[in-house]
Amino acid sequence: MSGPSIPRRSVLGASLAATAAFIPAVASSCPAPGPDAVLMDVLARFWLAERAILAMEASTEPPLTDPEYPAWEAKFDALIASRAQAMGQMAGIRSMTPEGRRGKAQVVERCLPSSVRWDDGGMQSPEILLALSLARDVAG
């Protein structure tokens, strides 16, 4: 994993329990019928990954020398990749309903401030692409 993520875990650790309380509940990963069915499924996968990331960040990270560390880090990296993939997929799906736009907006509100603060990828970051997608959805 890249160097900036380790300090980020330390910085975020203190507020994780409070943050987890504000994450929307995920009812199912099966698409509900409707015009935003695919989007809602991707949103559910995003929040599942986000919750798992928060749980890992809130737990004690094994020391670098621990034999379990490589597996822990691989799992963490896979969750980060899954979350980014979901954001990228959402950016390519037009939201057709208020619920779809609200779902995208919740993800943007959750992820964009951190992305901007840590400068994670500039204009091509999943967070920025999703924010631009939401803006297009709202603008029509």
Side-chain angles (χ1 to χ4, degrees), residues 18-80:
T19 301
F22 295 101
I23 294 178
V26 178
S28 170
S29 65
C30 298
D36 277 341
V38 174
L39 175 61
M40 299 312 280
D41 183 51
V42 176
L43 280 162
R45 287 189 289 113
F46 169 86
W47 289 113
L48 285 172
E50 182 68 4
R51 275 199 182 90
I53 290 165
L54 288 172
M56 287 186 76
E57 288 178 333
S59 68
T60 303
E61 181 177 331
L64 287 171
T65 56
D66 190 312
E68 294 180 22
Y69 183 81
W72 187 94
E73 188 73 7
K75 180 180 178 183
F76 189 81
D77 288 348
L79 288 168
I80 296 293

Side-chain angles (χ1 to χ4, degrees), residues 73-109:
E73 188 73 7
K75 180 180 178 183
F76 189 81
D77 288 348
L79 288 168
I80 296 293
S82 178
R83 181 178 64 179
Q85 180 185 32
M87 278 190 280
Q89 289 173 331
M90 281 184 260
I93 301 171
R94 182 180 171 111
S95 56
M96 305 299 288
T97 65
E99 293 80 15
R101 288 186 289 278
R102 189 172 19 263
K104 279 186 170 183
Q106 288 172 330
V107 173
V108 168
E109 182 179 30

Side-chain angles (χ1 to χ4, degrees), residues 124-137:
Q124 294 304 308
S125 72
E127 296 86 355
I128 296 294
L129 294 175
L130 181 58
L132 292 172
S133 173
L134 177 60
R136 286 189 300 272
D137 294 349

